[in-house]
Amino acid sequence: MSSITENILQLKKEIPEHISLIAVSKTKPNEDILEAYQTGHRIFGENKIQEMVDKHEQLPKDIEWHMIGHVQRNKVKYMAPFVHLIHAVDSLKLLKEVNKRAAQNKRSINCLLQVKIAEEDSKFGLDIDSAKEILISKAYAEMDNVKIIGLMGMATFTEDENQIEQEFAYLQKHFKALQKEYPQLQTLSMGMSGDYQIAIRNGSNMIRVGSSIFGERNYH
Ligand SMILES: *Cc1c(COP(=O)(O)O)cnc(C)c1O
């Protein structure tokens, strides 16, 4: 057995069944994705729209494509026909654009609001109050073609597991509180190769794993 196959089967054995695994295939060639596909895996994540569009065209049509990266509004139209879930919505403006493009494609697109939990400046995302504002806004209530189904967060890139734990715990706390008012919030996307175990301990039900499946990337 070659390593992608082994890695993905091992990971699926390890994580509880209710957790969705997004195989993050950014920068990886189609043959690597097909190897994972052959194990029965169908959910893949990309962080660049053009790359995802190309792969969607070239690969089997029953793949569920997740956009996990920062989204530029002017590119939403390219993925609107097929994207399964957009993880990193971080403004009402972006949500409006997704709604508009989804409507043009006569579909509804599921989204997560990205909440900033890391201390680094470089991480995109909303503070929790701004995320709430979007959820309660009249503008969102009037959108027929997008559905916010949860939250996404990325922890600080650090060796300090306590800090990562605290950041995930913070998001879980707010997720649970928001869920009481908005039962449609069902998905908490937290955890990558280096920290998915901590994320799962803190209530994540969707993990985004790249290098632990496909190996290290040469570029980001
Ligand atoms: C690249 C990426 C991942 C996966 O990272 P790994 O460390 O390779 O598992 C997860 N989430 C986002 C948003 C990413 O950009």
Side-chain angles (χ1 to χ4, degrees), residues 24 26 47 68-69 152 154 192-194 208-212 217:
V24 176
K26 61 190 186 193
N47 72 337
I68 63 170
M152 180 271 222
M154 285 174 86
M192 319 183 6
S193 294
R208 311 175 308 270
V209 179
S211 44
S212 289
R217 289 176 294 275

Side-chain angles (χ1 to χ4, degrees), residues 39-99:
T39 71
H41 195 75
R42 293 293 180 270
I43 312 173
F44 293 88
E46 292 284 332
N47 72 337
K48 297 224 161 65
I49 291 174
Q50 190 55 55
E51 187 175 342
M52 185 173 78
V53 167
D54 292 344
K55 286 173 173 172
H56 168 257
E57 275 169 16
Q58 295 156 5
L59 288 161
K61 292 297 173 284
D62 61 346
I63 289 179
E64 242 181 51
W65 290 102
H66 288 229
M67 176 40 58
I68 63 170
H70 182 68
V71 174
Q72 284 172 278
R73 262 181 296 146
N74 61 354
K75 293 188 179 160
V76 171
K77 57 180 177 284
Y78 304 116
M79 66 175 168
F82 68 90
V83 66
H84 190 82
L85 178 64
I86 301 175
H87 286 234
V89 171
D90 61 358
S91 72
L92 193 55
K93 265 185 162 176
L94 174 57
L95 202 61
K96 277 182 189 156
E97 177 66 13
V98 175
N99 183 57

Side-chain angles (χ1 to χ4, degrees), residues 5-218:
T5 302
E6 259 173 68
N7 292 343
I8 200 156
L9 294 178
Q10 179 56 40
L11 198 57
K12 284 188 172 179
K13 241 191 282 171
E14 181 191 321
I15 63 176
E17 212 159 325
H18 73 278
I19 303 213
S20 316
L21 170 65
I22 315 301
V24 176
S25 47
K26 61 190 186 193
T27 80
K28 298 296 178 181
N30 289 345
E31 58 188 281
D32 287 8
I33 298 173
L34 281 172
E35 185 177 335
Y37 182 89
Q38 250 111 59
T39 71
H41 195 75
R42 293 293 180 270
I43 312 173
F44 293 88
E46 292 284 332
N47 72 337
K48 297 224 161 65
I49 291 174
Q50 190 55 55
E51 187 175 342
M52 185 173 78
V53 167
D54 292 344
K55 286 173 173 172
H56 168 257
E57 275 169 16
Q58 295 156 5
L59 288 161
K61 292 297 173 284
D62 61 346
I63 289 179
E64 242 181 51
W65 290 102
H66 288 229
M67 176 40 58
I68 63 170
H70 182 68
V71 174
Q72 284 172 278
R73 262 181 296 146
N74 61 354
K75 293 188 179 160
V76 171
K77 57 180 177 284
Y78 304 116
M79 66 175 168
F82 68 90
V83 66
H84 190 82
L85 178 64
I86 301 175
H87 286 234
V89 171
D90 61 358
S91 72
L92 193 55
K93 265 185 162 176
L94 174 57
L95 202 61
K96 277 182 189 156
E97 177 66 13
V98 175
N99 183 57
K100 175 177 150 189
R101 299 299 179 180
Q104 285 175 350
N105 285 277
K106 298 190 169 51
R107 61 190 295 254
S108 175
I109 297 179
N110 287 338
C111 294
L112 307 177
L113 296 177
Q114 182 177 4
V115 176
K116 183 178 151 69
I117 55 173
E119 67 178 12
E120 297 131 338
D121 292 335
S122 61
K123 300 268 157 77
F124 295 100
L126 297 153
D127 58 52
I128 193 74
D129 289 333
S130 311
K132 283 181 201 165
E133 272 168 31
I134 291 178
L135 276 168
I136 63 174
S137 68
K138 185 158 174 283
Y140 172 54
E142 287 170 351
M143 293 178 195
D144 291 327
N145 298 79
V146 284
K147 211 169 144 201
I148 299 172
I149 61 160
L151 303 178
M152 180 271 222
M154 285 174 86
T156 303
F157 186 71
T158 173
E159 301 274 286
D160 183 352
E161 295 207 350
N162 268 330
Q163 181 175 355
I164 296 171
E165 181 104 35
Q166 278 170 27
E167 291 172 355
F168 286 150
Y170 169 87
L171 191 54
Q172 180 187 31
K173 182 184 81 181
H174 287 291
F175 176 70
K176 282 187 166 165
L178 277 177
Q179 243 184 344
K180 296 210 174 93
E181 278 172 79
Y182 304 96
Q184 72 271 25
L185 299 181
Q186 291 291 331
T187 301
L188 184 54
S189 168
M190 306 193 295
M192 319 183 6
S193 294
D195 58 19
Y196 68 85
Q197 282 125 333
I198 307 175
I200 290 170
R201 282 209 296 279
N202 286 282
S204 169
N205 56 21
M206 184 174 279
I207 60 173
R208 311 175 308 270
V209 179
S211 44
S212 289
I213 295 172
F214 296 106
E216 293 300 322
R217 289 176 294 275
N218 295 325

